[in-house]
Amino acid sequence: GAVVSQHPSRVICKSGTSVKIECRSLDFQATTMFWYRQFPKKSLMLMATSNEGSKATYEQGVEKDKFLINHASLTLSTLTVTSAHPEDSSFYICSASRANYGYTFGSGTRLTVV
Amino acid sequence: KNEVEQSPQNLTAQEGEFITINCSYSVGISALHWLQQHPGGGIVSLFMLSSGKKKHGRLIATINIQEKHSSLHITASHPRDSAVYICAVYGNNRLAFGKGNQVVVIP
């Protein structure tokens, strides 16, 4: 079945540094990938839609300069949290959609900014 | 009011019991997903439904499009079924998520 690999699974970084999270579709081509953020005991919140070869579409309230998304190939999308602050600490998850198969999710990345 | 409401928010069951969790939505949809999130955070897609009923192992998912309602049933529940079950609906070119049902199965 469709597999989406996301890494790292956990990362701790210092305030002010940048962190890159990768999301790869392993056995299918994902023209569209989605990035979500999840706060404790809350729903998944869509941050942006990443389209291969074009700029990402950000949801209202999500800073595009803060959360840089790159989708350079049909199998890889990256989310870079720039100049991270403690309030960026959260759980980030990617997913890819595939016609007739619905959504496949990555395993998530727990980001802690200290 | 959220587009996707799940109930009960929290459910505790004894091992072996039959469990039902529910999802109601208020928008027109083309598909509904049931997802499972374990304490580590990773999400597994269990079902994608647009009508009727699907079964996979001990899990059964049903959807009633007219009533805008879906249920997920777990038969012969086991402690490894302990997780958060998230309902997500796809409509208007986007996926909307419920807050999840926290299920705990006690040995």
Side-chain angles (χ1 to χ4, degrees):
Chain A
V3 176
V4 171
S5 173
Q6 182 175 346
H7 72 91
S9 57
R10 291 179 181 275
V11 58
I12 300 172
C13 71
K14 290 186 177 180
S15 195
T17 61
S18 294
V19 174
K20 181 186 283 189
I21 302 169
E22 291 190 350
C23 183
R24 292 180 186 272
S25 57
L26 296 186
D27 51 0
F28 66 101
Q29 293 181 331
T31 53
T32 304
M33 288 190 177
F34 306 87
W35 287 96
Y36 305 89
R37 184 173 180 175
Q38 187 180 38
F39 292 101
K41 307 228 182 262
K42 299 290 185 186
S43 306
L44 289 163
M45 180 189 78
L46 179 65
M47 298 174 66
T49 301
S50 165
N51 298 297
E52 187 267 337
S54 65
K55 290 184 179 180
T57 303
Y58 289 81
E59 295 297 299
Q60 192 172 10
V62 178
E63 299 175 59
K64 61 179 69 175
D65 295 330
K66 173 77 170 172
F67 299 99
L68 298 179
I69 290 172
N70 183 279
H71 194 155
S73 77
L74 286 170
T75 58
L76 175 64
S77 177
T78 60
L79 167 68
T80 301
V81 182
T82 62
S83 188
H85 288 142
E87 56 264 32
D88 298 325
S89 298
S90 192
F91 191 69
Y92 295 88
I93 304 178
C94 66
S95 76
S97 67
R98 191 179 180 197
N100 301 320
Y101 289 87
Y103 291 78
T104 303
F105 289 82
S107 53
T109 299
R110 173 75 60 194
L111 171 64
T112 304
V113 185
V114 297
Chain B
K1 188 180 189 300
N2 292 331
E3 289 176 284
V4 183
E5 296 280 355
Q6 293 187 240
S7 63
Q9 189 174 353
N10 296 286
L11 183 153
T12 300
Q14 288 291 138
E15 182 174 358
E17 286 184 346
F18 181 84
I19 292 171
T20 296
I21 52 181
N22 300 293
C23 174
S24 296
Y25 52 93
S26 58
V27 296
I29 68 169
S30 57
L32 181 145
H33 296 259
W34 278 103
L35 312 170
Q36 182 190 55
Q37 186 172 31
H38 279 284
I43 290 178
V44 174
S45 182
L46 298 175
F47 294 103
M48 181 178 71
L49 290 164
S50 54
S51 65
K53 176 179 173 178
K54 284 190 176 179
K55 184 176 189 293
H56 182 72
R58 294 180 294 105
L59 302 179
I60 303 167
T62 64
I63 186 168
N64 186 317
I65 296 293
Q66 286 73 32
E67 294 186 4
K68 292 187 165 63
H69 181 269
S70 175
S71 293
L72 179 67
H73 308 284
I74 306 174
T75 61
S77 60
H78 190 276
R80 63 175 174 265
D81 297 325
S82 299
V84 175
Y85 292 84
I86 300 169
C87 173
V89 299
Y90 184 76
N92 294 326
N93 292 318
R94 67 185 190 91
L95 203 56
F97 296 88
K99 291 184 180 178
N101 307 92
Q102 173 79 60
V103 171
V104 175
V105 182
I106 299 171

